[in-house]
Each structure stands twice: as C-alpha cells, then as structure tokens.
Amino acid sequence: MEAIAILDLTILYVSIHALLSILVLRDPEKRGIENSVLWASIVVIFSGVGLVLYLIRRTIPEDEVEASEDAEFPLPGTERSNKSSCTDE
C-alpha cells in the first residue's frame, strides 16, 4: 500500500511540475519577454524558487530590464551606440 501512495505522489508531483513549466514556457511569449526557454528551464530545475523568480521578473516592465545606452558594461547581445565609442580621428 505504501508503494502505491509513493507512486501516486510522484506522478502528482511530476505532472504539476510539467504543467508549471509549460505555462512558464508559453507566458513570456505572450508578454514579449525574451528567453522563454531559459525561464522554463529555471522553473524545471529550481521548481518553486524558479517560479517565484519568474513571477517577480514578469511584473517588471520590459523597458526597465533593458540596459541603458550609456552603461559602462552593456549586457551580452546589446549593441553600443556610436556616440559612446572612442575614435582616434
């Protein structure tokens, strides 16, 4: 009897885990948040903590997340503007 209860709880845990990761995979696409696969992976790996982190991240407007143009160290994938680059002319 104990083995059946453990199996039932395992199936319940895995199904809730899979449902949450699918929801987190689809939600950023609707909201225009990049890296939906990354967020779903974080939820899969870190479970509840990853979900809380994603829920916090999704409440932050997209313009606050992006790096400003005059940032000293821009985020990977962002381009620096020409006015901040140094030229020797």
Side-chain angles (χ1 to χ4, degrees):
M1 189 67 173
E2 291 177 18
I4 294 175
I6 291 173
L7 179 64
D8 288 343
L9 290 175
T10 303
I11 291 172
L12 179 67
Y13 176 77
V14 169
S15 60
I16 289 173
H17 207 69
L19 179 66
L20 285 176
S21 63
I22 290 170
L23 290 174
V24 169
L25 183 63
R26 292 185 179 178
D27 187 57
E29 295 171 356
K30 293 178 186 175
R31 296 179 180 273
I33 299 173
E34 295 180 7
N35 300 326
S36 60
V37 175
L38 174 69
W39 283 109
S41 300
I42 290 172
V43 170
V44 167
I45 294 169
F46 298 110
S47 193
V49 174
L51 181 63
V52 169
L53 289 174
Y54 172 70
L55 292 175
I56 291 170
R57 163 56 186 96
R58 84 176 218 183
T59 59
I60 301 171
E62 193 67 26
D63 57 345
E64 290 182 15
V65 174
E66 295 177 6
S68 63
E69 290 183 14
D70 57 353
E72 186 176 345
F73 299 104
L75 295 174
T78 59
E79 296 180 16
R80 294 196 111 175
S81 63
N82 289 335
K83 67 181 181 181
S84 65
S85 63
C86 298
T87 57
D88 294 329
E89 292 182 46

